[in-house]
Amino acid sequence: MRAILALLCVALVPSSGFAETTTNASRAFLHARHAAVASDSQVASAAGVEMLKSGGNAIDAACATTLALGVTNPFASGLGGGGFALVYWAKTGKTVALDFRETAPAALTARQGGDKGIRPQSGLSVGVPGEVRGLSELLRRFGALPFSRCVEPALRLSRGFAVSPWLAQQIRDEIARNPTTGPDLVAKIFSIGRQAASRLRAGDRVARPALTATLERLRRAGPEAFYRGDIAAAMVDAVSAAGGVLALDDMARYAPVEREPLTTNFLGHRVLSMPPPSAGGTIMVEVLGILANRPEEWRRKGSPTSPAYLHELAEALKHGFADRARFLGDPAFARVPLAHLLDASYHRELAQRNQPDRVLAHDAYGTPARRPTAAPRDGGTAHVSVVDEAGNAVALTTTINLEFGARIAADGIVLNDQMDDFTSERPDVFALAGSDANRPAPGKRPVSSMSPTIVLGDRGVEVVAGAAGGPRIVSATLQILLDVLVFGLDARQAMTAPRIHHQWEPDILYYEPGISIETVRALENKGQRPQSRPDIGKANLIVRSRSGLDAAADPRSGGEPAGY
């Protein structure tokens, strides 16, 4: 049956166009016999492989790749952000989830920002950065190399690298959105003049001298130099000047948190993802549980682009996002009904509600509750997938939230604007509603859509995946997994297959151009409200094949894997 499905899929999946239209798209896919790293940057992926060839393991590679991405893609991630990591340790078979998400400063309260909430890309939107302590904790517990060694590739890159097409586009977009201040921000990040910043194009050589000095200090003095002393003071001063409340005590007190990974069995595979305050893992478990109870409605067509399958997927996503809006928050501050949301009997009940030929009433999705308080754009996020020769794996997603974070830079560090992810009286910039469980509070971590995921099978690690793109992270990661596990697509096919996204509110089914017009009309006839958008998430994927590892970076972002 699997073989037949795979053959059908090769014939039936329409070309998404990404592989054919993106510059050097053929480099987005790689077969490696022993180890692989997939990220949004060729030089960052190479930094990870450098660690592997220097005696490091998957954890060392993931940390070096993440630090390098912060240099080359300052619009997406960096030292001023935070994220989540899943680590699978092959020797013991144990998986660890580490939460190094940003926290709210002690002086941040629910009243700040008023009913409309914290203004995005403002001083108040800056949370306590967690990336440096998160990476150092991963290295302390699992790494084979010191933190200083993992900093070295990022330090070299900070002295000079070529602007990628994706970075060039993000710079153009930033200046178009903010024509008065955008050139100044870009100029500050790269220590160049305002006019030169406005003229940056793909292939131009740039450096980040201020970040070089910061990375040199971290390599010499260790990660604690980021949270105490001159570097921390520079960040606090920059945020204060922009009206924020970040304090030195906030920096000194920050600590990552180990959490129990969410685990579900799906068609004989063990799928592991992040627990709250990530919403991604909870939604994924819920969606997979619903789909597993309705295979007759979508598997019979044998195609990941059939109207029957896409309708079922959209309906399952609505249930997951409805529950996200109503219940999810930082488990240290809110009572999240996780046992209920992950219960297989609940998934069966949701599956029974769904109808193959129509949508449900708006409030019939998820578990009814008091309505959450109430067009998005992709944010700044980066995902790294790594598998090493010993079978260890890391799925790590890190972010500064929107493009260029809070648009505040200090000592070469672009600071996050993660506090916008808290709930206010209006939906956030991704049009996501939320509940009181996600209200701001000192030391609290806002809900995130980041969904680093590892799939285990009889041979150990089978898939390592994750994505960037705000709430579309969940949809992109899910569809990649389903394409591989259900429809038998290889890494290249799964990455280039067109995607959909539905987040319950707003009631819009977003789809990529690769979805045929006939399919769109069929979805409309079922009651969906389709709307085209250029892309849905930017993912990075590693799939174990019979002869090694197939790594895929997303042509949508111009990424490139590396391996050997």
Side-chain angles (χ1 to χ4, degrees):
M1 183 64 177
R2 287 284 177 87
I4 293 171
L5 284 173
L7 289 171
L8 282 169
C9 289
V10 172
L12 292 172
V13 175
S15 169
S16 66
F18 295 110
E20 289 75 22
T21 59
T22 305
T23 302
N24 296 324
S26 62
R27 297 179 183 175
F29 310 102
L30 169 79
H31 177 75
R33 288 186 59 84
H34 304 293
V37 180
S39 82
D40 292 330
S41 163
Q42 186 276 326
V43 291
S45 297
V49 171
E50 178 184 327
M51 297 301 103
L52 294 173
K53 291 184 175 180
S54 300
N57 57 29
I59 292 81
D60 303 299
C63 291
T65 301
T66 300
L67 290 167
L69 281 170
V71 177
T72 62
N73 292 0
F75 57 88
S77 65
L79 302 180
F84 301 127
L86 276 184
V87 175
Y88 171 74
W89 198 242
K91 187 175 182 179
T92 62
K94 183 179 180 181
T95 304
V96 172
L98 190 70
D99 172 358
F100 53 97
R101 177 85 159 145
E102 300 91 331
T103 61
L108 187 71
T109 69
R111 295 186 301 274
Q112 282 164 323
D115 291 341
K116 292 185 178 181
I118 297 165
R119 183 168 59 86
Q121 299 188 305
S122 67
L124 278 178
S125 72
V126 179
V128 186
E131 181 172 292
V132 175
R133 276 219 173 112
L135 298 183
S136 65
E137 179 66 8
L138 288 172
L139 290 169
R140 184 188 70 80
R141 295 183 58 182
F142 302 105
L145 301 175
F147 182 84
S148 59
R149 179 68 181 92
C150 293
V151 172
E152 288 176 3
L155 181 57
R156 288 198 307 270
L157 286 169
S158 71
R159 296 187 177 117
F161 64 94
V163 173
S164 69
W166 196 23
L167 173 56
Q169 183 62 55
Q170 295 293 335
I171 290 171
R172 288 194 295 272
D173 290 347
E174 164 63 22
I175 292 173
R177 284 192 302 268
N178 304 286
T180 302
T181 59
D184 296 320
L185 175 64
V186 176
K188 186 172 185 178
I189 290 172
F190 297 108
S191 299
I192 56 179
R194 195 175 191 273
Q195 288 188 339
S198 298
R199 293 195 297 265
L200 281 177
R201 295 293 182 269
D204 290 348
R205 194 83 178 165
V206 293
R208 299 184 62 185
L211 183 60
T212 298
T214 295
L215 290 170
E216 284 178 336
R217 189 174 301 180
L218 294 181
R219 183 181 63 166
R220 183 176 64 253
E224 283 306 300
F226 183 85
Y227 290 94
R228 303 174 189 273
D230 293 344
I231 297 175
M235 288 186 281
V236 167
D237 289 346
V239 172
S240 178
V245 293
L246 183 68
L248 288 173
D249 283 348
D250 297 319
M251 297 291 297
R253 285 197 298 263
Y254 181 85
V257 177
E258 181 179 337
R259 303 192 186 277
E260 186 68 25
L262 300 186
T263 305
T264 189
N265 292 315
F266 180 72
L267 301 183
H269 305 275
R270 188 178 173 212
V271 181
L272 300 105
S273 196
M274 283 297 302
S278 166
T282 306
I283 296 172
M284 288 181 65
V285 171
E286 197 167 305
V287 171
L288 292 174
I290 294 168
L291 292 179
N293 279 279
R294 291 179 64 83
E296 72 283 356
E297 298 296 344
W298 53 273
R299 291 184 72 182
R300 61 187 177 194
K301 296 292 185 181
S303 168
T305 56
S306 70
Y309 165 65
L310 295 179
H311 175 72
E312 289 292 326
L313 177 59
E315 293 298 281
L317 283 167
K318 291 181 194 178
H319 286 299
F321 274 96
D323 282 338
R324 177 201 198 277
R326 291 169 175 140
F327 301 114
L328 291 188
D330 185 340
F333 290 78
R335 186 173 296 175
V336 180
L338 202 56
H340 166 67
L341 298 177
L342 303 179
D343 187 8
S345 62
Y346 176 53
H347 302 158
R348 283 194 296 272
E349 190 271 319
L350 293 178
Q352 289 167 3
R353 285 190 218 169
N354 289 351
Q355 301 296 318
D357 56 353
R358 63 179 177 85
V359 300
L360 307 179
H362 182 266
D363 289 336
Y365 294 97
T367 296
R370 183 180 64 81
R371 279 188 59 80
T373 53
R377 74 175 194 255
D378 279 353
T381 303
H383 178 79
V384 177
S385 293
V386 185
V387 178
D388 67 19
E389 199 164 356
N392 304 310
V394 179
L396 186 154
T397 312
T398 184
T399 184
I400 52 176
N401 200 29
L402 294 183
E403 299 94 338
F404 295 101
R407 305 183 69 250
I408 299 170
D411 279 8
I413 300 160
V414 180
L415 290 158
N416 71 86
D417 73 324
Q418 216 65 68
M419 300 300 95
D420 170 69
D421 277 358
F422 281 121
T423 297
S424 65
E425 295 301 324
R426 52 133 179 96
D428 71 2
V429 294
F430 295 107
L432 284 167
S435 71
D436 287 342
N438 193 40
R439 292 283 186 183
K444 193 173 183 178
R445 301 175 189 222
V447 172
S448 168
S449 296
M450 291 185 286
S451 310
T453 301
I454 295 174
V455 180
L456 304 178
D458 294 339
R459 296 182 296 165
V461 173
E462 291 189 347
V463 182
V464 181
R472 291 171 293 281
I473 289 172
V474 185
S475 301
T477 306
L478 263 169
Q479 283 164 96
I480 287 170
L481 293 182
L482 290 164
D483 287 347
V484 172
L485 301 180
V486 175
F487 295 108
L489 302 192
D490 62 26
R492 179 191 295 263
Q493 293 165 333
M495 187 62 77
T496 56
R499 302 169 188 157
I500 65 163
H501 170 72
H502 205 304
Q503 61 187 51
W504 184 55
E505 288 186 346
D507 186 10
I508 298 172
L509 176 59
Y510 296 101
Y511 67 92
E512 290 182 334
I515 303 292
S516 72
I517 188 63
E518 292 79 13
T519 296
V520 171
R521 288 170 179 161
L523 291 168
E524 286 178 327
N525 290 336
K526 294 175 183 289
Q528 303 288 353
R529 299 178 180 178
Q531 181 176 312
S532 177
R533 60 169 292 128
D535 54 67
I536 292 171
K538 283 99 174 172
N540 287 290
L541 169 70
I542 297 175
V543 178
R544 186 175 297 282
S545 64
R546 292 182 179 180
S547 58
L549 300 167
D550 293 329
D554 206 322
R556 297 161 179 82
S557 65
E560 188 173 334
Y564 62 93

